[in-house]
Amino acid sequence: MNATAQMPTLVRQRWTIIGQVQGVGFRPFVYRQARQAHLTGFIRNDSLGATMEVQGTLEDLTRFAHRFRANLPPLARVERIDEAILPCCADEEEFLIEPSRDLGTPHAAVTMDAAVCPDCLRELFDAGNRRFGYALINCTNCGPRYSIIQRVPYDRPNTTMARFEMCDACAAEYADPTDRRFHAQPIACHDCSPAVNLVNNAGRPIGGHAIRQATRRLEQGEIVAIKGLGGFHLAVRADHAAAVERLRRLKHRDAKPFALICRSLEAARRLVDLGPQAMDALRSPAAPIVLAPRRSTAPVAAAVAPNNHRLGVMLPYTPFHHLLLELLDREAPALVLTSGNQSDEPLVIDNDEAVRRLGGLCDAILWHERPIARCVDDSVLLDMGGVQPPLPIRRSRGFVPAGLRLPQTAVRMGLCVGAELKNTIAVVRDDEAILSQHLGNLDHPLALTYFAQAIEDLCALFGVQPQWIAHDLHPAYHSTLHAAALAAALEAELIPVQHHHAHAAAVLAEHGLTGPALAVVCDGAGLGTDGTIWGGELLLADLTDFRRLASLTPLALPGGDAAAKDTRRCALAILRQTFGPDFAEHPAVERLIPEAPERCILTQMLARNVNCPQSSGAGRLFDGLAALLGLAQRNDFEAQAALRVEAAAGSAPEPTGVTDGWWTLHDAAGARTQIDLSGFWRWLLEHSPGVPVEVCCRAFHDTLAAAWAAAAMQQVQRTGLRVVALSGGVFCNQVLTRRLTELLESRGLRVLRHEKLPPNDGGVAFGQAAVAVARGARGRNRRPVKTED
């Protein structure tokens, strides 16, 4: 037999890999696997993701493919691999990592920022390691990604680290495919790092070791601004009552809870009661804030989370945090770590900007000179208890900009501008919606500026030139007005999507469904198709359209939007609805509004229906109950009163035993069912003086859940549908969500709840994307956007 006949047959394949494969150690991983499998070829980054060509025997290629799929790097996520057979290369001798290529329109996934990994953490505290105590330590498995990238492919010249030259030692690690820091774009060390400094609130340097000096000031009760991955935080010792109260005064944040950063999971568990999945979330690379029930013995100042049954805790996720907490007095249980801004403003990300905007809020500023490309606030999850996964409340750092699959594929690229509150935006390409980080409420001028910048940034980063723009139905929302102006400039199609339809579509699409299904959508407010304010709705919805089947009986809210702040107005509206024209004679009215002139004005507004818009918003019922029970007269932050009602309900016996007469279903105009809770309100006002507040609040939750379940079952019988989706901000309420889910599932229905997206308005942009794509965005959706004169 001659030698030629014994030569093994070679095969060459090209793999085009789409997914999260840049900035995660993917190329060195492929390099090592290919070498071990005795393959030749190459791997390189490009604007699509990564492309590799591998050549070897069929047996070796099969072994490589198996190992490839089974051993991906921790942060890598492969969504699709397009394979092709190529002619073999006769003179190829080894496997190489080639320079990146720009193939035009970017399509590569951008990796999320990740908490410092165990390997880097060991080096950080190893006195024999050259990065011992290095405050910006990172590798291909951790550190900044989304917060520093400026364009794809993810290479150092395309990041905010471009101007920092590596020292010889770092350059050697960066160039070594076998090293953990091979092509770790933010790589640096003590010798070539962006500087770390502590300055006073006027920007003048403070001598000494920056982190040690910052820790000493925190121990003494000072407020220190600290630069993190996605922006600045304001920190103060959590058990220093005077310092926490001072921070509240300076931030003009009277009641909204502060988040806490704890040095370890054990320290966090001394403050809150954590379920197993919540603990896993805290330790994950995303490292979010987790809201969990506070322990009565938690040694933190009352002003950290006044009158709140939960605390928000997180673990250190940057080297800065670990070094600070390691040096901090062991008697300190945690640090307050709240967003570096005035209330309702966007997060500060720039050092000079920190002096201007935060100088009046702190005593010192601890910063580094690595620029942040975009503000990325902390993510927030709610511990749902038991084995249930935590519920997203704010999807931001650690989760964005990971794309979410849509059930259908877009014909053209588009943009979704989201809601007015808790805004996020989304760009759409193919079958994917890429949501932005949390952008906040758009009623602040600076927030609106950041919103416009975020649209430009996300479109550029992902190569999206919008041919259609989806927006809320409300013509006066800042997001709607911006959509109209942008559509005119781009000659793009405008697609209005009703607010609650977007909520329903978001939860359907999250589960990969197109509908139809029933959807219970409960929130504070959203403009309905009839021009009134909706917020307690049962819809028959698919991704294309919807029909309103049932709603809460609308309240006439004196002063309209003012009732969202002043809970007493909601209580008066409930009294007016329950007792009719003689409501002003009820003794509860004087208890609610002791001052006669104010009481006269508000009761006359209701009696004459002057500036009392109708609203079916479920959130206003919680507000009214809080006022009637003396739990809260104002909402200093969104859902403050509702949180107190939920906290009280959570401490009551369960269930309370709902009486059928506490709610009724009756027909309304347009073949729609209305849910009337007058029976409950009559019981409450008659018996509440002798019934514990906790029992009253639990009874309300049980009544509302029972009423929604009955309305849903009525429509199940009429439509034959057996899937019920739950969405809207009210379903951040753990007590209501659990009870309604129990009632629906006990009747054999499938209940869909959010798992990846917040139920609140942070998920609206995804719902808008699902609706726009389902409609096809072919021109039939265009409606004129009316603006106020």
Side-chain angles (χ1 to χ4, degrees):
M1 185 179 295
N2 61 44
T4 305
Q6 297 178 7
M7 289 290 291
T9 301
L10 297 181
V11 178
R12 187 176 187 86
Q13 295 180 346
R14 175 186 292 145
W15 290 15
T16 302
I17 304 157
I18 307 298
Q20 190 172 289
V21 294
Q22 296 189 13
V24 295
F26 185 76
R27 287 175 298 170
F29 158 75
V30 169
Y31 174 86
R32 290 190 295 271
Q33 296 293 329
R35 303 266 300 205
Q36 289 171 10
H38 309 294
L39 304 179
T40 61
F42 66 84
I43 174 82
R44 64 170 175 249
N45 279 348
D46 53 44
S47 48
L48 296 176
T51 297
M52 68 173 166
E53 294 185 10
V54 285
Q55 180 171 301
T57 66
L58 185 59
E59 181 181 354
D60 287 341
L61 285 171
T62 302
R63 187 184 307 114
F64 166 78
H66 175 74
R67 290 177 179 173
F68 171 87
R69 290 179 170 85
N71 300 290
L72 286 171
L75 299 180
R77 189 184 76 250
V78 173
E79 297 171 6
R80 190 177 83 241
I81 299 177
D82 296 331
E83 299 183 25
I85 302 295
L86 302 176
C88 288
C89 259
D91 57 350
E92 193 173 62
E93 296 182 354
E94 59 183 330
F95 192 90
L96 301 172
I97 297 176
E98 291 192 346
S100 299
R101 281 192 186 178
D102 186 348
L103 300 180
T105 302
H107 207 287
V110 175
T111 304
M112 303 85 73
D113 298 314
V116 60
C117 71
D119 289 331
C120 284
L121 202 55
R122 280 192 292 272
E123 293 172 349
L124 183 67
F125 292 108
D126 178 3
N129 191 279
R130 75 185 192 92
R131 289 188 175 87
F132 172 62
Y134 172 51
L136 297 176
I137 193 170
N138 65 85
C139 70
T140 51
N141 295 325
C142 68
R145 298 291 190 279
Y146 180 53
S147 59
I148 63 169
I149 189 172
Q150 294 172 313
R151 65 194 68 86
V152 294
Y154 178 67
D155 290 320
R156 193 175 178 103
N158 294 338
T159 73
T160 62
M161 286 293 292
R163 65 184 175 91
F164 296 99
E165 186 175 347
M166 287 178 271
C167 66
D168 290 345
C170 285
E173 292 171 329
Y174 184 87
D176 182 358
T178 66
D179 194 281
R180 199 175 85 250
R181 293 188 170 88
F182 175 75
H183 278 229
Q185 307 308 340
I187 187 175
C189 68
H190 291 292
D191 296 330
C192 60
S193 172
V196 174
N197 293 300
L198 182 70
V199 300
N200 67 15
N201 57 7
R204 289 188 285 274
I206 296 173
H209 187 281
I211 295 178
R212 192 170 290 116
Q213 287 292 332
T215 304
R216 186 170 299 133
R217 288 169 176 266
L218 287 166
E219 289 173 344
Q220 294 169 354
E222 292 190 12
I223 301 168
V224 179
I226 300 171
K227 191 174 184 180
L229 277 179
F232 279 83
H233 291 94
L234 292 167
V236 73
R237 186 167 166 158
D239 59 346
H240 198 302
V244 177
E245 289 165 5
R246 176 173 171 244
L247 178 58
R248 283 207 174 277
R249 290 194 302 272
L250 293 173
K251 265 184 74 88
H252 302 295
R253 183 166 167 167
D254 296 333
K256 190 174 182 180
F258 287 142
L260 300 171
I261 188 166
C262 307
R263 58 171 51 89
S264 65
L265 182 62
E266 292 70 28
R269 293 181 69 185
R270 286 193 284 272
L271 303 181
V272 293
D273 184 14
L274 290 164
Q277 296 226 32
M279 288 189 278
D280 289 344
L282 283 170
R283 292 178 293 203
S284 72
I289 297 168
V290 171
L291 304 176
R294 70 188 299 164
R295 296 189 184 276
S296 59
T297 56
V300 298
V304 166
N307 301 307
N308 202 296
H309 64 303
R310 296 190 182 104
L311 292 174
V313 297
M314 62 180 132
L315 298 183
Y317 59 85
T318 71
F320 259 45
H321 297 153
H322 282 282
L323 292 169
L324 276 167
L325 290 165
E326 180 66 23
L327 293 170
L328 189 69
D329 182 355
R330 292 286 159 177
E331 295 299 314
L335 291 175
V336 165
L337 201 69
T338 188
S339 54
N341 54 9
Q342 283 277 14
S343 289
D344 299 325
E345 289 184 356
L347 205 60
V348 172
I349 62 172
D350 178 74
N351 292 358
D352 292 338
E353 184 187 20
V355 175
R356 291 195 306 272
R357 289 176 52 195
L358 302 181
L361 308 183
C362 64
D363 303 296
I365 305 173
L366 179 63
W367 66 34
H368 54 76
E369 293 185 356
R370 181 178 68 207
I372 297 173
R374 59 192 60 79
C375 62
V376 189
D377 217 333
D378 293 317
S379 294
V380 181
L381 305 182
L382 174 62
D383 184 0
M384 298 297 285
V387 296
Q388 295 184 75
L391 176 70
I393 301 297
R394 184 168 75 200
R395 184 177 181 270
S396 202
R397 177 190 51 77
F399 294 95
V400 297
L404 294 172
R405 287 275 164 245
L406 293 164
Q408 296 163 311
T409 300
V411 176
R412 296 177 289 166
M413 294 187 291
L415 167 70
C416 307
V417 296
E420 191 76 351
L421 304 178
K422 293 182 170 61
N423 179 269
T424 61
I425 60 171
V427 293
V428 177
R429 60 185 189 187
D430 300 332
D431 62 346
E432 182 180 50
I434 301 161
L435 269 69
S436 74
Q437 64 276 25
H438 168 80
L439 299 175
N441 298 347
L442 301 185
D443 52 3
H444 192 286
L446 196 54
L448 196 56
T449 300
Y450 272 55
F451 163 76
Q453 291 174 351
I455 289 174
E456 292 183 15
D457 178 41
L458 207 64
C459 287
L461 194 58
F462 290 96
V464 171
Q465 298 177 342
Q467 296 173 282
W468 52 265
I469 302 175
H471 61 87
D472 195 273
L473 204 59
H474 200 300
Y477 277 180
H478 291 96
S479 55
T480 302
L481 296 172
H482 188 82
L486 191 58
L490 298 176
E491 297 184 349
E493 177 187 353
L494 278 172
I495 305 175
V497 180
Q498 198 278 327
H499 187 84
H500 301 97
H501 185 207
H503 272 300
V507 71
L508 287 174
E510 186 181 329
H511 287 269
L513 302 177
T514 59
L518 300 174
V520 179
V521 184
C522 291
D523 60 6
L527 184 66
T529 53
D530 60 358
T532 67
I533 301 302
W534 296 0
E537 313 303 321
L538 176 61
L539 308 179
L540 190 161
D542 58 22
L543 298 187
T544 304
D545 210 344
F546 74 98
R547 184 154 55 93
R548 191 186 191 198
L549 301 179
S551 70
L552 295 170
T553 302
L555 293 173
L557 296 177
D561 289 344
K565 290 283 188 184
D566 184 352
T567 64
R568 303 171 307 161
R569 295 174 184 241
C570 299
L572 289 177
I574 289 169
L575 291 169
R576 173 68 176 84
Q577 185 186 82
T578 303
F579 296 106
D582 296 330
F583 80 99
E585 304 302 318
H586 197 283
V589 173
E590 187 171 351
R591 289 200 306 272
L592 287 166
I593 318 288
E595 299 295 328
E598 185 183 15
R599 184 167 67 249
C600 179
I601 291 171
L602 291 174
T603 55
Q604 285 299 304
M605 288 173 68
L606 279 163
R608 299 178 182 181
N609 196 28
V610 175
N611 191 21
C612 292
Q614 297 282 311
S615 168
S616 60
R620 303 292 78 83
L621 299 183
F622 285 86
D623 292 341
L625 179 64
L628 289 169
L629 295 177
L631 291 173
Q633 291 193 334
R634 283 191 57 78
N635 277 316
D636 292 317
F637 62 91
E638 189 180 2
Q640 180 183 6
L643 283 168
R644 292 186 182 176
V645 170
E646 181 192 0
S651 62
E654 51 179 294
T656 53
V658 176
T659 300
D660 287 345
W662 286 357
W663 53 266
T664 58
L665 304 179
H666 58 83
D667 293 333
R672 175 168 50 90
T673 299
Q674 281 194 349
I675 299 172
D676 187 347
L677 303 181
S678 295
F680 170 79
W681 298 118
R682 289 180 184 275
W683 171 85
L684 178 81
L685 290 158
E686 182 179 348
H687 294 92
S688 61
V691 177
V693 167
E694 294 81 4
V695 173
C696 293
C697 290
R698 180 68 204 209
F700 172 72
H701 282 78
D702 290 347
T703 300
L704 189 58
W708 279 123
M713 286 307 300
Q714 182 186 77
Q715 297 302 328
V716 166
Q717 293 165 3
R718 292 176 180 177
T719 65
L721 297 172
R722 301 194 64 80
V723 176
V724 182
L726 307 182
S727 190
V730 168
F731 287 111
C732 294
N733 181 310
Q734 194 172 354
V735 177
L736 178 65
T737 303
R738 182 187 296 132
R739 184 60 182 150
L740 180 53
T741 300
E742 289 171 351
L743 291 172
L744 294 171
E745 288 182 342
S746 70
R747 291 160 170 79
L749 304 183
R750 180 186 178 191
V751 178
L752 304 179
R753 289 157 45 179
H754 287 286
E755 297 172 0
K756 300 175 183 177
L757 291 168
N760 58 41
D761 285 1
V764 163
F766 184 68
Q768 292 173 345
V771 171
V773 171
R775 290 178 182 171
R778 295 179 184 275
R780 65 186 180 86
N781 304 292
R782 184 184 293 273
R783 297 182 193 173
V785 177
K786 299 177 181 178
T787 59
E788 294 181 335
D789 294 330

